[in-house]
Amino acid sequence: MKTILTAAVASFLMLGAAHAEPLLGTWQTAKDDNGNFGHIEVAPCGDALCGTLIKSFDSAGAVIPSDHTGSHIISATKPRGDGEYRGKVFSPDRGKTYNSKLQLTGETLSVSGCVFGICRDGGTWTKLN
């Protein structure tokens, strides 16, 4: 009985910690070089956060197929304090993974990243839920 109670309390505490993380949820990306955008679902991933592409859209907002659906767009991402996160972000339109800096301000996320000294502004993402 004590084991069940301990497991229940531990589960409750982990659930509370997950809900306290403001980056969790679904985000709409900025438009890429082709005008396309996506919906990214951010969830815990080991001891970090990952964001998976769940849906892609063309510049008119119509759903389109993507070879990257189900792929991690955000990976190995950890909070640094004051709404800043560091990790990796994959850019499907460029086919590159960048060392990323994410800055959370309310319901918006400023995304940027660098690879081999070349930096790119990933735009501002908007939280959907």
Side-chain angles (χ1 to χ4, degrees):
M1 179 73 164
K2 186 176 180 181
T3 303
I4 294 171
L5 181 58
T6 302
V9 169
S11 295
F12 178 77
L13 291 174
M14 286 189 298
L15 181 62
H19 286 296
E21 173 52 62
L23 198 61
L24 298 179
T26 305
W27 294 84
Q28 181 170 302
T29 69
K31 291 185 176 186
D32 67 14
D33 292 343
N34 302 309
N36 300 332
F37 62 97
H39 288 175
I40 308 297
E41 181 70 32
V42 177
C45 178
D47 66 345
L49 297 169
C50 294
T52 304
L53 178 65
I54 58 172
K55 199 177 282 188
S56 298
F57 302 86
D58 65 16
S59 60
V63 176
I64 57 173
S66 171
D67 293 340
H68 300 290
T69 300
S71 297
H72 283 163
I73 302 302
I74 296 172
S75 60
T77 298
K78 295 184 179 184
R80 304 269 301 238
D82 294 327
E84 182 180 324
Y85 295 80
R86 296 288 178 128
K88 304 282 184 189
V89 65
F90 174 69
S91 176
D93 63 324
R94 302 269 173 116
K96 293 186 177 8
T97 299
Y98 296 83
N99 292 318
S100 66
K101 176 183 176 188
L102 310 175
Q103 184 63 52
L104 180 64
T105 306
E107 299 292 305
T108 61
L109 186 66
S110 298
V111 178
S112 61
C114 298
V115 63
F116 299 122
I118 300 169
C119 297
R120 181 169 186 223
D121 179 1
T124 301
W125 298 9
T126 305
K127 192 163 193 178
L128 299 176
N129 65 32

